[in-house]
Amino acid sequence: VRLVESGGGLVEPGGSLRLSCVASGFKFSGFWMSWVRQAPGKGLEWVSSITSDGGTTYDSDFAKGRFTISRDNTNKTAFLQMNSLKSEDSARYYCAAVPPETVRKDVGHWGQGTQVTVSS
């Protein structure tokens, strides 16, 4: 089982980034997919989730209106489009095959994360 994130980097406040997560080794189309983040010195924080068929999404309050989760089951890839980024969005972003609000790494499948830094 492998989840590999990419797309992180340094961006100015107000900017955008699109994170990608390529999955392998499990039946991607049968799993919820979520994005979870962790800022330095803080715990895991759920961001957004999407159902296995991509038909329904769920967002944390801070993500609503700014972040959009999506998936491509044919290519076993999940995405997180992040707009209007703020300094407080700086964190390591993890892709995980887990249901909404799951913040335990012993549940489901998790990637290694990609770093997002929002700074001028």
Side-chain angles (χ1 to χ4, degrees), residues 36-45 86-94 114-118:
V36 178
R37 71 185 186 182
Q38 186 169 28
K42 297 189 176 181
L44 293 168
E45 182 177 40
K86 307 174 182 179
S87 58
E88 52 263 44
D89 294 319
S90 296
R92 190 162 190 85
Y93 283 72
Y94 295 92
T114 185
Q115 182 67 37
V116 171
T117 303
V118 185

Side-chain angles (χ1 to χ4, degrees), residues 19-83:
L19 307 184
S20 298
C21 170
V22 178
S24 61
F26 67 102
K27 188 180 178 183
F28 180 78
S29 61
F31 282 75
W32 285 89
M33 291 301 296
S34 297
W35 289 91
V36 178
R37 71 185 186 182
Q38 186 169 28
K42 297 189 176 181
L44 293 168
E45 182 177 40
W46 171 69
V47 178
S48 296
S49 298
I50 188 167
T51 52
S52 58
D53 66 355
T56 306
T57 61
Y58 300 83
D59 299 305
S60 59
D61 287 343
F62 67 80
K64 289 176 182 175
R66 298 191 301 129
F67 296 180
T68 302
I69 188 171
S70 61
R71 67 189 296 161
D72 176 352
N73 282 349
T74 299
N75 292 301
K76 300 182 179 181
T77 304
F79 304 96
L80 184 68
Q81 176 68 43
M82 303 188 295
N83 300 326

Side-chain angles (χ1 to χ4, degrees), residues 34 36 44-46 49 96 98-105 107-108 110:
S34 297
V36 178
L44 293 168
E45 182 177 40
W46 171 69
S49 298
V98 295
E101 301 189 48
T102 301
V103 290
R104 291 177 50 180
K105 286 192 174 181
V107 174
W110 290 70

